């Protein structure tokens, strides 16, 4: 960056800092705190959720679909890690990487999911160590012949259930290994696609079996409570489960509370008119921690790239107002094959951190004082004024202090990488 733009950025920040100070907000402190919040990047954006297993015929997707055909998809683990190398360079703040189980690298040997071990993720672990970042994990309860019926952990077939119980246990052992090797707790999130396209005759049986299966996964003498951090993720509906989802929100909120594990709130898994932000203060009355998946539904759970929309902004503003940033784990969950995948990562991760910063820039003390004093008009006026504050200058300074490109300057790096690397992939 030349001296003139840097000087302009510094001047803009100085003015913004003064403006926020008038509202009782310390922008320097907000920048420091926003940079410290870890965001877990999802590996599956790099390859369109295809995984690294040998493709098999006759295997259904299990409600997972990445649409589009933009050139440059990563075709193996090495290409995925190379792409993520660039992503990390373009993102300010602390990052993690979130892996799915079917990104195991087993070489020429076929290893089924109930038999995977930490050794099959050695390349990912070495990569994480080289970047000094933590790893999170997810069992992959979809895209497998044992999931073609639409049921896995809730299946009426005992053999199918046992296969997926064994898979869940194997995954928790891998998560424990990650935690020990990296010195950072590994969050392991359990999401299953189980459900029916049309009305089932029995809604009770699958849910009873799901309770038993999850209990069997958690009851593993090789993984003690706290060796990894378990979460369960509910959903309103999905592809192939439009009428009935076994793991509904009500089911998982209750299960998580009764088993002392975390519920996961995915922004794309609710009715379009529901406020996920409103759920935070309710759930954190009873749960020590929450796992958050920032995503973007467009009319349905379509996992569009996260942008700084009202839902994301409201979510983190609510978290900050409740002093709960230290009680939430933040992860991305979207997959878009219609645009440059590196850019998708950067846009989504930056939007999420911008929302965190905006929450920290919120004049919460003034708003709460107005509320407590019965001055609703003042609270509303200040909320509206907060939207017009010069937060963009604060964001640019955050990027500069993190040693990453401010504004949209990162697009040049993406363009060069596309020319030199992505276009050469067939």
């Amino acid at each position: 960056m030349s001296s003139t733009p840097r000087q302009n950025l510094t001047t803009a920040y100085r003015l913004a800092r003064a403006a926020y100070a008038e509202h009782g907000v310390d922008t320097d402190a907000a920048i420091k705190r926003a940079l410290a919040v870890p965001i877990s990047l999802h590996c599956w954006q790099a390859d369109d959720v295809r995984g690294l297993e040998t493709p098999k015929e006759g295997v259904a997707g299990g409600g997972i679909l990445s649409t589009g055909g933009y050139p440059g998809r990563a075709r193996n683990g090495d290409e995925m890690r190379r792409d993520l190398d660039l992503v990390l360079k373009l993102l300010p703040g602390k990052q993690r990487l979130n892996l799915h189980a079917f990104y195991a690298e087993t070489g020429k040997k076929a290893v089924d999911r109930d038999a995977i071990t930490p050794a099959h993720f050695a390349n990912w672990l070495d990569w994480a160590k080289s970047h000094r970042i933590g790893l999170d994990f997810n069992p992959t309860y979809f895209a497998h012949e044992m999931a073609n019926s639409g049921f896995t952990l809730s299946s009426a077939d005992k053999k199918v259930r046992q296969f997926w119980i064994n898979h869940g246990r194997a995954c928790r052992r891998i998560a424990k290994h990650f935690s020990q090797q990296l010195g950072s707790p590994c969050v392991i999130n359990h999401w299953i696609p189980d459900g029916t396209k049309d009305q089932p005759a029995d809604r009770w049986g699958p849910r009873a079996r799901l309770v038993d299966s999850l209990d069997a996964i958690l009851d593993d003498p090789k993984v003690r409570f706290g060796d990894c951090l378990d979460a369960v993720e509910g959903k309103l509906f999905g592809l192939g489960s439009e009428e009935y989802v076994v793991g509904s929100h009500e089911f998982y909120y209750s299960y998580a509370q009764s088993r002392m594990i975390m519920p996961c709130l995915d922004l794309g898994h609710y009715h379009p008119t529901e406020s996920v932000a409103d759920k935070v203060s309710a759930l954190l009355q009873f749960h020590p921690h929450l796992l958050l998946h920032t995503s973007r539904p467009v009319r349905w759970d379509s996992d569009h790239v996260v942008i700084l929309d009202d839902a994301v902004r409201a979510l983190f503003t609510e978290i900050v107002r409740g002093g709960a940033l230290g009680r939430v784990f933040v992860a991305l969950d979207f997959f878009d094959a219609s645009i440059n995948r590196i850019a998708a990562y950067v846009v989504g991760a930056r939007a999420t951190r911008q929302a965190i910063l905006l929450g920290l820039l919120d004049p919460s003390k003034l708003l709460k004082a107005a509320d407590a004093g019965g001055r609703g008009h003042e609270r509303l006026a200040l909320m509206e004024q907060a939207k017009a504050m010069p937060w963009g200058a604060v964001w640019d300074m955050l990027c500069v202090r993190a040693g990453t490109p401010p504004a949209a300057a990162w697009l040049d790096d993406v363009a060069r990488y596309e020319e030199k690397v992505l276009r050469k992939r067939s």
Side-chain angles (χ1 to χ4, degrees):
M1 184 186 299
S2 65
S3 58
T4 301
R6 175 63 67 87
Q7 184 178 4
N8 292 343
L9 188 152
T10 302
T11 300
Y13 176 69
R14 189 183 304 117
L15 295 171
R17 182 173 58 189
Y20 275 104
E22 292 180 2
H23 288 76
V25 177
D26 183 342
T27 56
D28 289 327
I31 288 174
K32 183 178 181 180
R33 184 70 181 94
L35 286 172
V37 177
I39 295 176
S40 197
L41 308 175
H42 55 316
C43 74
W44 49 94
Q45 167 61 34
D47 79 324
D48 305 341
V49 208
R50 298 197 183 194
L52 300 179
E53 296 174 334
T54 302
K56 299 178 182 179
E57 294 183 3
V59 173
I64 302 296
L65 179 65
S66 183
T67 56
Y70 197 89
R73 177 185 69 84
R75 301 162 296 183
N76 53 59
D78 289 337
E79 289 184 351
M80 292 179 71
R81 287 184 285 271
R82 183 176 181 183
D83 291 353
L84 287 164
D85 286 341
L86 176 59
V87 172
L88 289 178
K89 290 178 181 178
L90 301 178
L91 294 180
K94 190 175 182 180
Q95 321 298 333
R96 298 175 64 86
L97 182 68
N98 198 8
L99 287 169
H100 242 289
F102 74 158
Y103 288 91
E105 293 173 285
T106 63
K108 296 181 180 180
K109 182 180 179 181
V111 179
D112 214 342
R113 293 187 196 167
D114 61 342
I116 54 174
T117 70
H120 300 127
F121 296 86
N123 291 335
W124 290 108
L125 185 58
D126 289 344
W127 179 87
K129 288 180 178 179
S130 70
H131 288 283
R132 298 182 179 180
I133 64 174
L135 289 176
D136 297 314
F137 204 59
N138 307 261
T140 307
Y141 298 111
F142 56 85
H144 190 280
E145 56 265 29
M146 283 285 202
N148 279 350
S149 68
F151 293 90
T152 59
L153 291 174
S154 67
S155 173
D157 187 328
K158 186 176 181 179
K159 180 180 178 181
V160 171
R161 289 201 310 277
Q162 191 60 54
F163 174 86
W164 291 113
I165 289 170
N166 292 342
H167 173 63
R169 285 186 164 192
C171 289
R172 294 185 76 240
R173 294 169 189 176
I174 292 167
K176 173 184 176 180
H177 182 73
F178 288 164
S179 297
Q180 293 174 334
Q181 290 294 307
L182 298 171
S184 176
C186 176
V187 175
I188 177 168
N189 182 49
H190 302 264
W191 173 78
I192 64 167
D194 296 27
T196 60
K197 184 178 180 64
D198 215 329
Q199 300 179 32
D202 179 16
R203 295 174 181 267
W204 294 73
R207 286 178 172 149
R209 291 190 290 269
L210 179 55
V211 170
D212 290 342
S213 294
L214 289 170
D215 283 349
I217 291 171
L218 296 176
D219 185 21
D220 182 355
K222 292 187 177 181
V223 184
R224 297 172 301 175
F225 184 80
D227 285 344
C228 58
L229 304 177
D230 290 276
V232 285
E233 179 180 356
K235 194 169 186 176
L236 181 64
F237 75 94
L239 284 173
S241 60
E242 288 85 355
E243 219 292 325
Y244 170 62
V245 172
V246 181
S248 64
H249 295 296
E250 295 81 3
F251 177 94
Y252 278 132
Y253 291 160
S254 301
Y255 185 84
Q257 185 177 352
S258 63
R259 270 57 173 183
M260 298 178 65
I261 60 177
M262 286 187 291
C264 172
L265 281 66
D266 186 306
L267 287 176
H269 286 187
Y270 294 86
H271 192 280
T273 59
E274 278 189 272
S275 170
V276 179
D278 181 60
K279 302 178 188 302
V280 171
S281 59
L283 290 171
L284 284 179
Q285 302 295 328
F286 308 99
H287 297 276
H289 297 93
L290 297 176
L291 173 60
L292 307 175
H293 278 184
T294 56
S295 186
R296 177 165 57 106
V298 177
R299 303 187 186 280
W300 67 293
D301 180 29
S302 47
D303 290 287
H304 284 62
V305 177
V306 175
I307 59 174
L308 189 61
D309 59 11
D310 290 344
V312 174
R313 184 168 179 171
L315 175 63
F316 287 101
T317 297
E318 192 62 35
I319 290 168
V320 174
R321 284 178 181 167
L325 262 183
R327 299 176 62 190
V328 299
F329 295 90
V330 183
L332 305 182
D333 189 4
F334 55 81
F335 31 93
D336 189 342
S338 69
I339 62 176
N340 181 293
R341 295 167 185 81
I342 308 294
Y345 270 123
V346 180
V347 170
R350 283 189 169 222
T352 300
R353 199 168 298 281
Q354 285 172 343
I356 294 170
L357 175 65
L358 279 164
L360 291 163
L361 293 174
D362 182 66
S364 300
K365 291 183 179 179
L366 293 180
L367 298 175
K368 291 178 180 179
D371 243 353
R375 302 185 302 277
H377 62 286
E378 181 179 319
R379 183 249 309 145
L380 189 60
L382 290 172
M383 282 182 170
E384 288 302 293
Q385 177 60 26
K387 298 175 182 177
M389 294 292 283
W391 69 269
V394 183
W395 169 256
D396 284 343
M397 182 57 68
L398 177 150
C399 292
V400 169
R401 290 182 180 178
T404 55
W410 56 269
L411 284 169
D412 293 338
D413 295 270
V414 172
R416 285 191 293 269
Y417 189 78
E418 180 164 7
E419 182 67 28
K420 294 180 180 180
V421 179
L422 300 183
R423 289 187 181 181
K424 297 179 181 179
R425 296 177 183 171
S426 60

